[in-house]
Amino acid sequence: MSFKWIDHVVIAVKDMDQAVSTYRDKLGLKLRGINNAPELGIKQAHFDLGDGRFIELAEPLGPETAVGRSIERRGEGIPILAVAVENMEKAKEEYESKGIQLIADGDQVFLHPRSTNGVLIQLIERPS
C-alpha cells in the first residue's frame, strides 16, 4: 500500500481575506469558494489545482479549535497533508501493522505526527 498522490494541502491562516488575496490575486489560483465549517472550527477557502486536487486555507473560528491551537504553537503554515489511498481499510491495517499510530475522527483517518516526523497526514480514499 502506498500513497497514490497528494489530494490536498491545508494551510492554516490568521487572516482569511489577506490569504485569499495572496493565493487568488498574487499566485493566480482559481478560488472555488469560501464557507464556514463550524463542525471543524474553521472558515475555509478552496483553490482548484485541477484533477480534483486543491489547496484549502483554514482560518480558525476561535483559539480553542484545532487550527487555532496549531497556529498558536507553530504559526501559520501547513498543518495537514492529505494523500489518496486506494483502499482505506487496507491502508489502515498496513500502517498499524508497521507501528504507525492512527487517529480516527468520525469518517476521517490521520497518521499521527509522532509517527510521521511531525506531519499530520490525512488519508483520503480514492479508488481507481
Side-chain angles (χ1 to χ4, degrees):
M1 179 68 51
S2 62
F3 300 153
K4 291 171 60 175
W5 62 73
I6 294 174
D7 188 80
H8 66 278
V9 175
V10 178
I11 302 172
V13 301
K14 293 179 182 177
D15 181 335
M16 183 63 75
D17 293 334
Q18 176 277 321
V20 165
S21 176
T22 296
Y23 283 80
R24 181 188 59 211
D25 303 334
K26 295 178 182 177
L27 298 177
L29 297 179
K30 181 181 176 189
L31 178 65
R32 284 187 189 171
I34 301 172
N35 66 287
N36 281 334
E39 69 281 3
L40 300 174
I42 59 172
K43 181 176 185 179
Q44 303 170 301
H46 293 100
F47 292 89
D48 187 23
L49 297 176
D51 293 328
R53 297 176 183 108
F54 59 95
I55 291 176
E56 176 183 323
L57 302 180
E59 177 185 35
L61 294 178
E64 72 290 345
T65 64
V67 173
R69 290 188 304 272
S70 176
I71 288 175
E72 178 64 30
R73 285 191 306 269
R74 298 179 195 94
E76 294 180 294
I78 300 174
I80 298 175
L81 175 65
V83 296
V85 297
E86 181 76 26
N87 180 295
M88 184 67 74
E89 289 307 313
K90 285 183 182 178
K92 287 168 42 179
E93 289 172 13
E94 178 180 340
Y95 295 131
E96 284 182 318
S97 75
K98 293 179 178 180
I100 301 291
Q101 184 180 352
L102 301 181
I103 302 169
D105 183 13
D107 292 338
Q108 299 184 53
V109 177
F110 301 88
L111 306 183
H112 198 287
R114 284 192 288 260
S115 297
T116 57
N117 299 90
V119 178
L120 180 63
I121 299 176
Q122 181 179 10
L123 302 180
I124 306 289
E125 186 172 67
R126 301 280 190 232
S128 295

